[in-house]
Amino acid sequence: MYEHLRRGALLGGRVVRANAARLASPLKLNLALTYWCQYKCKTCNIWRRRPADELTTSEILAFIRENSHVSWLDVTGGEIFLRDDIREIFDAITESWRDLFLLHFPTNGFLTKNIVAVAERLARSRVPNVIVTVSIDGDQALNDEIRGIKGGFKRQIETLTALRQIGGIRAVVGMTLSRFNVGQAEQTFNAVQAECPDLGMDDFHLNFAQVSAHYYGNAGDAIAAPKDAAVRELQWYRSQRGRTHSPASWLEGAYLRRLESYLETGTTPMPCHSLRSSCFIDPWGTVFPCITYSRPLGRLRETGMRLEPLWNSAETRTTQREIWKGSCPQCWTACEAYQSILGNLVRPSTHPAGRPARQPAVEAITLTGIGK
């Protein structure tokens, strides 16, 4: 319990400092370990990449050694469980990052045995909060059609069910809403709940499909749900969520309250904390502001896997100031929104007066419990 309180206090202190100034190192990291994926989702082109020369095990372990003061980590892909070294990577993170308070990762759920084995190890670690999002995009027929793999739904449900039996792991569902399944959120929830009767609405999260040139590789693809239909789905979702007082529920509630406004205006509802509190790192060690803004800021392979020289470079600082003023692709994704909400607790909920609205570079938005 002391260790949980210590890590939570460190996170809280960094949130307070983020309200006053840019942090000396990221509060949160969004770290992509691989772009390999065995699914073929209609909303994402990561699976088309067939990548080569991704960071090796030794390079990732070096990154973990050189960058230990992280409080909040999202590990993503691709499908991270296609890496043979995923257990070794997570072991290194949980043993070396003694400030880590929250660890989240999404999975397509197909490799059930491996996913569950790693989750059981994470549950025994000293990380206070471990959250796993299993992606499910419809009932059995719709999910397998959208995600492009026969039998996927059954494997995803099997993984979700097993994860929810592990003490110390919070396993939730992430549904990516797009033009392919808009209007099916309630049907999807009912289908999953029929298999997992203990699933509540707070365990079910809508991910509104988004575009990104450097991450999803789907810039220009027509994947977004029509705005009116997306707003109706959002309103239904909000009406179904109960009122709870946990920090995570409060944070998601704050995100949701601003989400409809973003859909209507295409403008980020508050100054973004990308490069102020967080950044995104791709599987080759390239640092970007976030998953949306395709502006590379340098490569970790050129700094001995140390993030500090890139985080504190003149270019990064300049880019951060531009983002802070709204001079970036406008979005409102969970990957950036949660730390932005926490970092704007003592600030207005809008950009500085006189800042013109910009056209969104994403076709929709992301919404999860913690993470993408």
Side-chain angles (χ1 to χ4, degrees):
M1 178 59 71
Y2 168 78
E3 183 64 17
H4 288 199
L5 292 174
R6 183 190 70 82
R7 297 188 188 205
L10 283 173
L11 173 63
R14 301 191 78 194
V15 167
V16 170
R17 291 196 294 276
N19 275 265
R22 183 176 187 267
L23 297 179
S25 62
L27 163 74
K28 178 189 178 187
L29 282 182
N30 297 305
L31 176 63
L33 292 180
T34 183
Y35 283 158
W36 284 99
C37 187
Q38 73 274 55
Y39 276 58
K40 298 179 180 179
C41 298
K42 292 182 177 181
T43 56
C44 171
N45 289 328
I46 287 177
W47 60 272
R48 297 181 183 273
R49 293 176 185 259
R50 323 304 292 178
D53 195 32
E54 294 182 330
L55 294 178
T56 65
T57 304
S58 61
E59 287 175 320
I60 293 175
L61 295 181
F63 172 78
I64 294 168
R65 287 195 306 271
E66 296 292 337
N67 305 276
S68 59
H69 299 297
V70 176
S71 295
W72 183 349
L73 175 66
D74 267 25
V75 179
T76 189
E79 173 55 35
I80 63 174
F81 289 95
L82 290 176
R83 284 197 69 122
D84 294 335
D85 57 0
I86 189 63
R87 185 177 300 188
E88 184 178 359
I89 290 171
F90 274 130
D91 283 349
I93 289 170
T94 57
E95 291 168 8
S96 302
W97 288 9
R98 299 183 181 277
D99 296 344
L100 188 62
F101 181 76
L102 194 157
L103 170 63
H104 167 264
F105 59 88
T107 175
N108 61 32
F110 199 76
L111 300 174
T112 302
K113 183 177 180 180
N114 192 17
I115 297 166
V116 171
V118 169
E120 288 174 340
R121 293 175 72 88
L122 290 172
R124 296 192 295 270
S125 75
R126 304 186 76 178
V127 180
N129 297 281
V130 180
I131 303 173
V132 185
T133 298
V134 179
S135 300
I136 301 177
D137 286 345
D139 60 15
Q140 182 171 343
L142 183 59
N143 174 84
D144 291 0
E145 177 188 350
I146 292 173
R147 300 188 67 82
I149 186 166
K150 188 175 181 179
F153 181 84
K154 290 183 177 180
R155 297 287 284 272
Q156 291 152 235
I157 291 294
E158 180 182 355
T159 298
L160 177 68
T161 301
L163 289 173
R164 290 179 64 81
Q165 295 173 358
I166 302 174
I169 298 292
R170 185 181 178 208
V172 300
V173 174
M175 177 185 180
T176 299
L177 198 76
S178 67
R179 69 180 180 86
F180 305 108
N181 60 1
V182 66
Q184 298 300 308
E186 183 174 8
Q187 179 177 320
T188 301
F189 174 79
N190 291 338
V192 177
Q193 191 183 55
E195 303 288 342
C196 302
D198 66 333
L199 189 82
M201 191 57 68
D202 284 348
D203 304 317
F204 181 78
H205 304 282
L206 295 181
N207 309 307
F208 286 76
Q210 59 184 305
V211 298
S212 167
H214 71 281
Y215 182 48
Y216 293 111
N218 61 358
D221 290 0
I223 60 173
K227 183 174 68 175
D228 290 348
V231 168
R232 286 195 298 272
E233 202 83 281
L234 172 62
Q235 291 173 342
W236 170 83
Y237 177 71
R238 291 185 65 190
S239 73
Q240 298 301 306
R241 287 175 53 82
R243 291 184 176 273
T244 60
H245 301 288
S246 71
S249 293
W250 173 86
L251 191 58
E252 186 159 352
Y255 175 77
L256 288 169
R257 286 193 295 274
R258 294 165 174 84
L259 187 54
E260 188 170 339
S261 172
Y262 171 76
L263 283 174
E264 296 291 346
T265 66
T267 302
T268 306
M270 61 174 56
C272 178
H273 270 246
S274 174
L275 297 184
R276 183 180 171 101
S277 298
S278 62
C279 65
F280 170 74
I281 301 172
D282 78 5
W284 296 279
T286 306
V287 178
F288 291 87
C290 61
I291 66 170
T292 301
Y293 194 3
S294 299
R295 181 167 177 173
L297 298 165
R299 301 189 71 186
L300 293 168
R301 281 171 166 163
E302 298 171 356
T303 65
M305 304 307 294
R306 294 174 60 238
L307 180 57
E308 187 275 335
L310 301 178
W311 178 260
N312 289 314
S313 72
E315 181 182 3
T316 297
R317 289 175 178 272
T318 298
T319 304
Q320 186 271 321
R321 288 192 292 268
E322 293 170 355
I323 292 170
W324 187 252
K325 295 177 181 179
S327 296
C328 66
Q330 296 288 281
C331 67
W332 186 237
T333 72
C335 293
E336 314 306 325
Y338 291 131
Q339 60 268 32
S340 294
I341 292 168
L342 293 173
N344 283 289
L345 292 175
V346 297
R347 295 177 180 273
S349 296
T350 57
H351 279 300
R355 188 72 201 170
R358 294 171 56 89
Q359 293 301 312
V362 295
E363 292 184 290
I365 60 297
T366 300
L367 156 62
T368 62
I370 294 288
K372 80 173 178 21

